[in-house]
Amino acid sequence: MSYRLVLIPGDGIGPEIVRAAKKVLDAVFVRFGTEVTYEEVLMGGASIDVNGVPLTEETLKTCREADAVLMGSIGGDASVSPWYKLEPSKRPEAGLLSLRKGLNLFANLRPAYLYPELRDSCPLKKEVADKGFDVMMVRELTGGLYFGERHTDVVDGVRTAVDTLSYNEEEIRRAAVKAFEIARKRRQCVTLVDKANVLDSSRLWRSVVRETAAAYPDVELKVMLVDNCAMQLIKDPAQFDVVLTENMFGDILSDEMSMIAGSIGMLPSASLNETKFGLYEPSGGSAPDIAGKGIANPIATILSASMLLRYSLDMDEAADAVDEAVRRVLKDGYRTGDIWTEGCLKVGTDEMADRIIERLF
Ligand code: IPM
Ligand code: MG
């Protein structure tokens, strides 16, 4: 049997980091004798340039037929890129949202782990960084504000914009089930983050998540308001195991988590549906300012490839080997510019991948 993987290099640093992660995957597949075919497709700005739209039906179909998709990043610098002169529904980000929706990827897993070796890159107080943290964010990815109805009109001579935040109980329940299942394999604690003191949608989240929790008596459920959570992540991130939250709160808090983990270049992500299929991408953006220079940190993408092995291909042993190789490369002092500190060896994107491959088996 042969697996079908789709690669979406995308824009900015995307092609460099995907190339680096593919090298690591290839080394793993050779070692395990896994047969894999790759197909590369265009998405985001790269697709706009060729097809006029950020996501074609054909690309969506190719992804749907695969076992998993590995993506780099999409988008450009909105102040200079012509992609941002297009109407919002034709811009690179719209392609990513349609891809997530089209593949029904409702659960976005974003693990934030502070490697002991990166404590100096963590902007938190030393005593907080020294405690370390290991948080798994489960962000709902196909509902809420990013997919609600929106429009801008002139109402009584005044420009008025409306975005709709809507969730039904089924959307909430399936995300909650993912969070509880994941917590079971970790430290058995889920923190639901919401704004239930103001929003009806958050109050529905609370009641559905509490109902779901009844089936997981072994997992503790805590609730926290999102503004407080933003603060607690800086004050004491070690208190969190699994954080469960809706789409926009998850978007914002996951960037905060990446910062305290040392660099956005360290955070992988997996977007999953109800099957084994997943879309794997680094949590960071396309970083157009450093694109093409060969200096981007490929670790988030390599760790995303590890999540692909674990969640879509059931290759846990291989995933463990990749995670361990990343840990060892950091221990041995190799750093890309974003996580470099005095006394470490500065390497570029490709060399970082090569050093990780050397430590694989
Ligand atoms: C992310 C990104 C996307 C999102 C953008 C590019 C649409 O910020 O993956 O976090 O908001 O989900
Ligand atoms: Mg984001």
Side-chain angles (χ1 to χ4, degrees), residues 303-315:
L303 293 173
S304 301
S306 156
M307 293 182 91
L308 181 158
L309 293 167
R310 197 180 299 283
Y311 292 104
S312 287
L313 309 190
D314 280 326
M315 294 178 68

Side-chain angles (χ1 to χ4, degrees), residues 110 139 251 255:
R110 296 191 167 181
R139 166 188 176 194
D251 187 17
D255 270 28

Side-chain angles (χ1 to χ4, degrees), residues 2 88 120 134 141 148 156 178 197 207 228 236 249 258 300 303 325:
S2 158
D120 289 344
D134 179 359
L141 201 60
D156 297 332
K178 282 269 190 228
N197 54 348
S207 80
N228 183 29
D236 179 22
F249 296 158
S258 71
L303 293 173

